[in-house]
Amino acid sequence: MATVANFLAKPIATVIPRPSSAVTSTSSFVFLDHKPNSLSLKQSWRKLPSRRLFSSAKAGAAPPGKVDSPAAKDEKVQKIHSGEEFDEALKNAKTKLVVAEFATSKSDQSKKIYPFMVDLSRTCNDVVFLLVMGDESEKTRELCRREKIEKVPHFSFYKSMEKVHEEEGIGPDQLMGDVLYYGDNHSAVVQLHGRADVEKLIDENKAGGKLIVLDVGLKHCGPCVKVYPTVLKLSRSMAETVVFARMNGDENDSCMEFLKDMNVIEVPTFLFIRDGEIRGRYVGSGKGELIGEILRYSGVRVTY
């Protein structure tokens, strides 16, 4: 879990935690001449040994270093060759999520994760995927220096031309979780952007008697990202009896005031609301525990 106070102590843009599931074998960007930025979260992440990410490469998904091959023509990943192209791609995406992978032709981890990003590009139509080969030319090297890329593979997430998150050395599960968390605009989970949205949602569901499960998190919260795919699945399977919603507390002042008023200290916190009243809460990212609590507040008898 992440502590809200830790995020309030520093500007949000500087808080970029490494997830515990991150692949630790990353390649240094040796042509960059500045030192890595330090992380503002004083948190120790458990290191896991490197593991095989793909059992087999998918047809049509050319690895970095061979992106111009005929097999790659049907890919929806846009290849970027300069800073100007990069900025234009961000501008054209408008409010869509943009996922940019920074890679090199000699990085084994880049080659392993790239086929999975290609698969995501084919299924996530509301997300724009970009690939920057850092060692392709001086222009791409300059772009990597500008974006302060230290190691590859490095993934940066943008919305409305603003960087909202970044990760390095991650595996497929973490990448998919990040894409769902930061790019989810059309799911059954109601997106809340302030206290007024919360009050409106409660008023709309007072008469129906449905349980509201409000997922409260922060933009750069690893555990929040980790549990969100479970929230998505539950929102589809329990749509008849439960309303799922979420709010990022650090989105604006109204959201942060809501967290303070609800005494939310750690995230993710799930608030269970029925008939206009908060009936309980669950703090954590345990999938089994969360499902059990939702069933309990839905009136289903749960035996532990």
Side-chain angles (χ1 to χ4, degrees), residues 29 32 34 102 144-145 147-152 154 156:
F29 240 9
L32 297 186
H34 60 279
F102 294 86
C144 291
R145 281 192 287 266
E147 296 299 309
K148 296 181 173 60
I149 308 302
E150 301 290 346
K151 296 181 179 181
V152 295
H154 183 109
S156 293

Side-chain angles (χ1 to χ4, degrees), residues 29 31-34 81-84 86 102 132-149:
F29 240 9
F31 52 81
L32 297 186
D33 53 7
H34 60 279
H81 306 288
S82 67
E84 292 78 12
F86 187 79
F102 294 86
V132 179
M133 297 301 296
D135 55 353
E136 176 185 88
S137 67
E138 184 54 39
K139 288 185 177 181
T140 57
R141 290 185 180 90
E142 177 57 35
L143 174 58
C144 291
R145 281 192 287 266
R146 191 190 81 178
E147 296 299 309
K148 296 181 173 60
I149 308 302

Side-chain angles (χ1 to χ4, degrees), residues 257-273:
E257 285 298 323
F258 178 78
L259 262 69
K260 292 179 180 178
D261 291 345
M262 295 298 102
N263 196 30
V264 174
I265 305 300
E266 295 178 313
V267 290
T269 289
F270 294 86
L271 301 176
F272 304 107
I273 305 169

Side-chain angles (χ1 to χ4, degrees), residues 60-75 77-81 85 105 114 118 131 133 136-137 140:
K66 298 182 180 180
V67 295
D68 293 324
S69 63
K73 288 182 178 179
D74 65 332
E75 293 176 13
V77 179
Q78 181 180 347
K79 314 309 182 301
I80 299 297
H81 306 288
E85 286 188 13
S105 59
Y114 183 71
V118 171
L131 174 66
M133 297 301 296
E136 176 185 88
S137 67
T140 57

Side-chain angles (χ1 to χ4, degrees), residues 52-190:
R52 189 177 184 183
L53 302 182
F54 295 92
S55 57
S56 61
K58 296 291 184 71
K66 298 182 180 180
V67 295
D68 293 324
S69 63
K73 288 182 178 179
D74 65 332
E75 293 176 13
K76 294 184 178 180
V77 179
Q78 181 180 347
K79 314 309 182 301
I80 299 297
H81 306 288
S82 67
E84 292 78 12
E85 286 188 13
F86 187 79
D87 294 339
E88 187 67 19
L90 294 184
K91 181 180 178 180
N92 292 338
K94 297 181 179 179
T95 59
K96 288 184 177 181
L97 175 69
V98 177
V99 180
E101 179 189 359
F102 294 86
T104 63
S105 59
K106 297 181 180 180
S107 168
D108 290 338
Q109 291 297 335
S110 296
K111 293 175 182 178
K112 289 179 180 178
I113 194 67
Y114 183 71
F116 188 79
M117 188 173 78
V118 171
D119 285 346
L120 284 176
S121 73
R122 292 168 178 158
T123 57
C124 300
N125 295 323
D126 60 340
V127 180
V128 176
F129 291 85
L130 309 178
L131 174 66
V132 179
M133 297 301 296
D135 55 353
E136 176 185 88
S137 67
E138 184 54 39
K139 288 185 177 181
T140 57
R141 290 185 180 90
E142 177 57 35
L143 174 58
C144 291
R145 281 192 287 266
R146 191 190 81 178
E147 296 299 309
K148 296 181 173 60
I149 308 302
E150 301 290 346
K151 296 181 179 181
V152 295
H154 183 109
F155 290 89
S156 293
F157 299 76
Y158 302 82
K159 269 193 173 181
S160 301
M161 300 188 71
E162 177 185 355
K163 185 186 293 184
V164 296
H165 187 62
E166 57 186 349
E167 301 268 20
E168 65 180 28
I170 59 175
D173 292 343
Q174 183 68 32
L175 177 58
M176 182 175 68
D178 286 343
V179 171
L180 291 176
Y181 189 76
Y182 293 102
D184 175 44
N185 293 316
H186 309 291
S187 73
V189 180
V190 182

Side-chain angles (χ1 to χ4, degrees), residues 10-22:
K10 300 266 186 187
I12 291 301
T14 65
V15 183
I16 306 167
R18 290 281 303 276
S20 60
S21 60

